[in-house]
Amino acid sequence: MIDKDYPIDFVVTWVNEEDSEWLALRNNYMATEKSHPWNSWTMGEKRFRDWGLLPYWFRGVAKFAPWVRNVYLVTAGAVPSWLDVNCPKLKIVHHEDFIPTKYLPTFNSHTIEWNLHRIDGLSEQFVYFNDDMYLTSPTKRDDFFRNGLPRDSAVLGVSFLSRVQPSYVAYSAMLLNEHFDMHKVIKKHPSNWINPKYGLKNIVKTITLLPQNRFPGMSTDHLPFSLLKETYCDLWNLEPQLLDKTCSDRFRQFFGLTPWLLRDWQCVEGKFVPRRSSYGKAFYGKSFSESDEYLKTVVRAITSGRYKVVCVNDDIDNEDRFEVWGETLRSSFQMILPEKSAFEK
């Protein structure tokens, strides 16, 4: 029986877009990748810039998740000047500290994510955040793990391919079907798939797709993942060649194994405890650059305390709108997190 006080760590990845050494290195490798038709999506500035919200990420952790053991900040090199590196809960991890040398240098977020389990001292149960996912109201350990198992929502979805959208989700579904029989999986743990916690819309979606003979895909919100290190080990043992190919790409490519497969795998194996899908809210899409009303909706989600986690993904093409969003978002987080945390100088 697992110790009820087992440690839970947080991991967040971050890139300093103003690090001149990192920029020079990235630009040097980018010059060899320009022939790929999807390079504007995988190598564009939107993949590396930010709104200066990282202090609020740490303030959210300090205020709303005081129970977390350690916070691991994964960086390519530079560390924010305002960060107190002597904070007892803070662990700074550089790429060379845990990513195998043959994959370095890397500008591929998937390479970083597929090797997180190698971080020295990281707990078996950990929560992985992108730096655009923020805690906005009080959380409990139980929101992320229960009895040592990840909290999640198992909902079927439809994968698709297009010439401009990389096929990560479809590729993950292919792997699930090579290793599992969908009907046997759902029959073994029916309440994991048809559960009132998921809401009527998601239940209907799953039921509608049940006649399929194979996993058509899995619905995944752009929210923090509760992960087990053993899941990483299982997948690296089962698919070493595919993972090696994914991690060998300096930049994200059209085909590859997304780390979303990790949480899908845990769901399919039954190694999770159902959680309400409404615990968090993710905002992304082209409407970012089009609608002031959408921005108001995001602000309400941040300041209302309705959600435990809010993701605000940068998908803005218009530079002026990017600045407007940044100013508004900083003001919104300042409203709920005005005080410096122990992570700051």
Side-chain angles (χ1 to χ4, degrees):
M1 184 175 180
I2 189 167
D3 183 348
K4 65 177 182 179
D5 295 322
Y6 58 88
I8 299 173
D9 292 335
F10 285 177
V11 177
V12 60
T13 51
W14 177 75
V15 171
N16 180 5
E17 62 176 339
E18 298 178 352
D19 183 345
S20 59
E21 292 186 14
W22 176 85
L23 281 171
L25 192 63
R26 185 197 70 170
N27 292 338
N28 181 56
Y29 280 98
M30 279 180 65
T32 66
E33 301 283 339
K34 291 294 185 181
S35 61
H36 294 308
W38 52 90
N39 68 73
S40 62
W41 190 87
T42 61
M43 291 185 279
E45 291 302 315
K46 288 186 289 187
R47 303 222 62 80
F48 306 103
R49 69 187 183 185
D50 66 47
W51 280 301
L53 298 175
L54 192 62
Y56 298 107
W57 187 90
F58 279 98
R59 292 183 190 184
V61 171
K63 182 175 181 178
F64 300 131
W67 47 264
V68 71
R69 184 186 66 162
N70 290 320
V71 174
Y72 290 82
L73 174 67
V74 176
T75 172
V79 175
S81 60
W82 48 264
L83 198 64
D84 183 0
V85 296
N86 295 313
C87 176
K89 280 192 174 184
L90 178 64
K91 310 297 178 185
I92 305 296
V93 185
H94 299 282
H95 290 180
E96 61 268 25
D97 294 334
F98 69 100
I99 299 175
T101 304
K102 64 178 180 178
Y103 303 137
L104 295 175
T106 186
F107 312 95
N108 180 350
S109 60
H110 289 174
T111 302
I112 301 167
E113 293 162 330
W114 271 115
N115 289 281
L116 293 177
H117 66 300
R118 306 183 198 277
I119 293 176
D120 186 39
L122 182 66
S123 58
E124 172 62 29
Q125 288 85 0
F126 71 95
V127 185
Y128 169 56
F129 292 76
N130 291 159
D131 64 359
D132 58 2
M133 303 169 182
Y134 310 91
L135 298 184
T136 53
S137 66
T139 67
K140 300 176 295 184
R141 294 163 52 90
D142 189 70
D143 291 319
F144 298 98
F145 289 91
R146 179 178 291 176
N147 298 326
L149 292 178
R151 301 297 305 276
D152 214 323
S153 304
V155 179
L156 294 181
V158 178
S159 305
F160 66 92
L161 292 172
S162 76
R163 293 173 64 89
V164 296
Q165 176 64 47
S167 58
Y168 306 132
V169 179
Y171 213 52
S172 293
M174 179 190 74
L175 263 294
L176 289 178
N177 287 306
E178 285 189 5
H179 292 277
F180 299 94
D181 180 292
M182 184 184 77
H183 289 157
K184 289 182 179 179
V185 165
I186 295 177
K187 185 177 181 180
K188 184 176 181 180
H189 300 290
S191 63
N192 281 355
W193 298 86
I194 310 297
N195 193 298
K197 288 185 171 65
Y198 303 159
L200 181 60
K201 181 179 178 180
N202 285 327
I203 293 174
V204 170
K205 184 190 297 185
T206 293
I207 291 175
T208 301
L209 294 171
L210 281 179
Q212 302 291 321
N213 291 323
R214 296 162 57 84
F215 284 104
M218 296 277 288
S219 291
T220 303
D221 288 325
H222 195 54
L223 294 170
F225 289 170
S226 298
L227 297 171
L228 299 171
K229 287 168 63 173
E230 72 173 31
T231 309
Y232 276 85
C233 296
D234 290 345
L235 283 165
W236 271 99
N237 287 331
L238 287 168
E239 297 292 347
Q241 292 180 325
L242 281 175
L243 285 173
D244 180 70
K245 173 62 176 64
T246 296
C247 293
S248 296
D249 293 326
R250 299 292 181 194
F251 297 86
R252 282 164 64 166
Q253 301 297 327
F254 190 80
F255 285 102
L257 287 183
T258 168
W260 288 6
L261 176 63
L262 287 158
R263 56 86 53 183
D264 294 348
W265 196 272
Q266 289 174 167
C267 287
V268 170
E269 281 198 316
K271 292 182 178 179
F272 79 105
V273 177
R275 174 180 60 190
R276 293 188 183 280
S277 57
S278 59
Y279 94 106
K281 180 69 175 179
F283 294 94
Y284 50 89
K286 291 299 181 182
S287 53
F288 272 179
S289 57
E290 304 294 335
S291 170
D292 287 332
E293 286 302 314
Y294 197 75
L295 177 54
K296 293 178 182 178
T297 300
V298 176
V299 169
R300 285 194 296 270
I302 293 170
T303 59
S304 67
R306 177 181 177 184
Y307 303 103
K308 296 180 183 294
V309 185
V310 171
C311 172
V312 189
N313 186 253
D314 175 11
D315 198 16
I316 298 176
D317 293 322
N318 184 302
E319 189 64 29
D320 291 336
R321 295 297 296 163
F322 175 81
E323 295 300 330
V324 169
W325 270 74
E327 182 177 350
T328 304
L329 291 171
R330 286 190 293 272
S331 297
S332 301
F333 280 109
Q334 183 66 20
M335 288 177 61
I336 65 170
L337 297 164
E339 299 179 356
K340 284 187 176 182
S341 72
F343 295 101
E344 299 171 73
K345 292 179 180 177

